Amino acid sequence: MHHRHLYSSTPRTARRAVLHAALAVPLALGIAGHAAAQTAATAFPTKTIRFVVPYPPGGPTDLMARMLQPELQSRLGVTVVVDNKGGAGGNTGSAEVAKQAPADGHTLLLAASGPMAVNPSLYASMPFNPLTDLAPVIQLSAFPLVLEVHPSLGVKTFAEFLAMAKAGKPVLNYASAGNGTPQHLAGELFNTTAGVKMGHIPYRGAGPALNDLIGGQVNVMFDIVGSSLPHIQAGKLIPLAVTSTERAKVLPNVPTMAEAGIAGYQITGWHGIAVRAGTPQATIDKLNATVNAIFKEPAFRAKWEAIGTPAVGGTAADFGALIKADAQRLGKLVRDAGVTVD
């Protein structure tokens, strides 16, 4: 009995050992795979980062990317290259990141309110879906616009301008950077909320529109504060009101639309960073933390705010909520005003 028990137990022990070893293999592989994924995420970045700007060089969108480029490069320890991919109101470059870039965080999009929130209601078809094809990383800016006029118009206050616009004499036309741009939507929102009927003159970009405003070929424009600030300071343009809920730091004596008597008026152009959907959360978190850290540097904040926008920052969820909210709000404005890209 003793010998039978001794010899019969040996195979069972061996079988248990084999079974335990077999079970340990997938468990070990699972742990190793998880560790590898964590290592890959924490190791980010591992190569050059491409920072896609969906507009041509020049202007505030491009400027922000180029201000961030050396800071990101220094903190992340890899080369960061700004790549301008303009076209179709920002859709071309945005779609490239949304549809073609690897979902690994090494391709960043300078995400603007136009292609992210306005264009889906402006274009008959879109090459990407901003809400599902891209993942928000962080909000960068909240650009107020300023309602400004050429001195030849003969008004110096918002009240004088509103009275002229309501009278319709002379007929007022406002310039914009093109159909569906923040400058255009600001004018349409003003027509609706103030009960006036200004005409719209679309230009191919904010630069040409601003040049004609300064030259007196057109008398009214809603423009990004940072772009117009030097001309306002030089006395070439007269600022009447800003379109944000708070006064612009660089124009402390210019009232908001609400302060000027137009209740419920608010529109800002904003920018942020987005990556292709499916990018690891740890990578998004690292990018978010890096930009927030950059924005906490007093010298950088001062330089950033000099272009007319606060250094916003915040969480990825904050930026995602803004994109969704403005897609609904601005989309409704586009549809109600019958705005098209033509």
Side-chain angles (χ1 to χ4, degrees), residues 54-55 61 64 89-91 94 109-123 126 128 130 139-145 180-183 185 224 267-273 319 322-331 334:
Y55 298 101
T61 309
M64 284 185 290
N91 283 351
S94 301
L109 171 68
L110 201 299
S113 52
M116 298 296 288
V118 177
N119 288 0
S121 296
L122 189 66
Y123 285 76
M126 285 283 287
F128 73 105
Q139 185 182 355
L140 299 175
S141 75
F143 273 104
L145 285 80
T181 60
Q183 293 90 338
L185 297 184
I224 290 174
I267 188 167
T268 56
W270 46 256
H271 303 81
I273 293 175
F319 186 35
L322 172 67
I323 296 169
K324 290 179 182 178
D326 264 14
Q328 294 180 350
R329 187 174 69 90
L330 298 179
V334 168

Side-chain angles (χ1 to χ4, degrees), residues 26-334:
L27 179 62
L29 289 174
I31 293 171
H34 180 67
Q38 283 190 318
T39 301
T42 54
F44 170 85
T46 58
K47 59 184 178 180
T48 296
I49 290 177
R50 190 163 65 105
F51 200 170
V52 176
V53 176
Y55 298 101
T61 309
D62 182 59
L63 176 60
M64 284 185 290
R66 294 183 187 279
M67 288 174 68
L68 283 169
Q69 183 264 340
E71 300 293 333
L72 290 170
Q73 193 163 265
S74 173
R75 290 172 183 268
L76 294 174
V78 295
T79 300
V80 177
V81 178
V82 176
D83 188 6
N84 296 89
K85 293 281 184 178
N91 283 351
T92 301
S94 301
E96 183 175 316
V97 178
K99 291 295 189 180
Q100 298 177 28
D104 60 7
H106 289 93
T107 305
L108 310 180
L109 171 68
L110 201 299
S113 52
M116 298 296 288
V118 177
N119 288 0
S121 296
L122 189 66
Y123 285 76
S125 63
M126 285 283 287
F128 73 105
N129 185 325
L131 299 180
T132 58
D133 295 334
L134 291 165
V137 174
I138 193 168
Q139 185 182 355
L140 299 175
S141 75
F143 273 104
L145 285 80
V146 57
L147 167 59
E148 57 195 5
V149 296
H150 190 269
S152 64
L153 194 60
V155 299
K156 293 185 177 180
T157 68
F158 178 82
E160 293 172 349
F161 174 79
L162 184 60
M164 181 181 287
K166 284 183 176 290
K169 297 178 181 179
V171 175
L172 297 177
N173 296 304
Y174 69 95
S176 85
N179 287 325
T181 60
Q183 293 90 338
H184 179 199
L185 297 184
E188 291 298 332
L189 185 60
F190 184 76
N191 279 346
T192 301
T193 54
V196 300
K197 292 183 179 180
M198 291 194 300
H200 172 226
I201 303 176
Y203 284 75
R204 291 186 179 276
L210 187 58
N211 286 338
D212 270 12
L213 179 68
I214 294 167
Q217 283 79 31
V218 66
N219 291 321
V220 184
M221 186 174 177
F222 293 81
D223 192 31
I224 290 174
V225 168
S227 301
S228 288
L229 187 61
H231 309 294
I232 291 171
Q233 292 171 332
K236 296 179 181 178
L237 299 174
I238 298 173
L240 302 178
V242 293
T243 65
S244 47
T245 55
E246 297 180 357
R247 294 191 181 198
K249 286 185 178 181
V250 292
L251 293 174
N253 297 321
V254 178
T256 66
M257 283 287 188
E259 289 174 330
I262 308 298
Y265 186 106
Q266 184 271 324
I267 188 167
T268 56
W270 46 256
H271 303 81
I273 293 175
V275 291
R276 187 170 183 176
T279 297
Q281 188 62 46
T283 297
I284 292 173
D285 291 344
K286 185 169 185 177
L287 287 166
N288 178 276
T290 301
V291 177
N292 273 317
I294 293 169
F295 278 175
K296 286 179 182 177
E297 291 291 338
F300 184 87
R301 285 187 75 91
K303 184 170 67 171
W304 187 269
E305 291 175 355
I307 66 175
T309 175
V312 180
T315 68
D318 292 336
F319 186 35
L322 172 67
I323 296 169
K324 290 179 182 178
D326 264 14
Q328 294 180 350
R329 187 174 69 90
L330 298 179
K332 183 177 186 302
L333 176 60
V334 168

Side-chain angles (χ1 to χ4, degrees), residues 18-31:
V18 171
L19 179 60
H20 290 162
L23 290 172
V25 170
L27 179 62
L29 289 174
I31 293 171

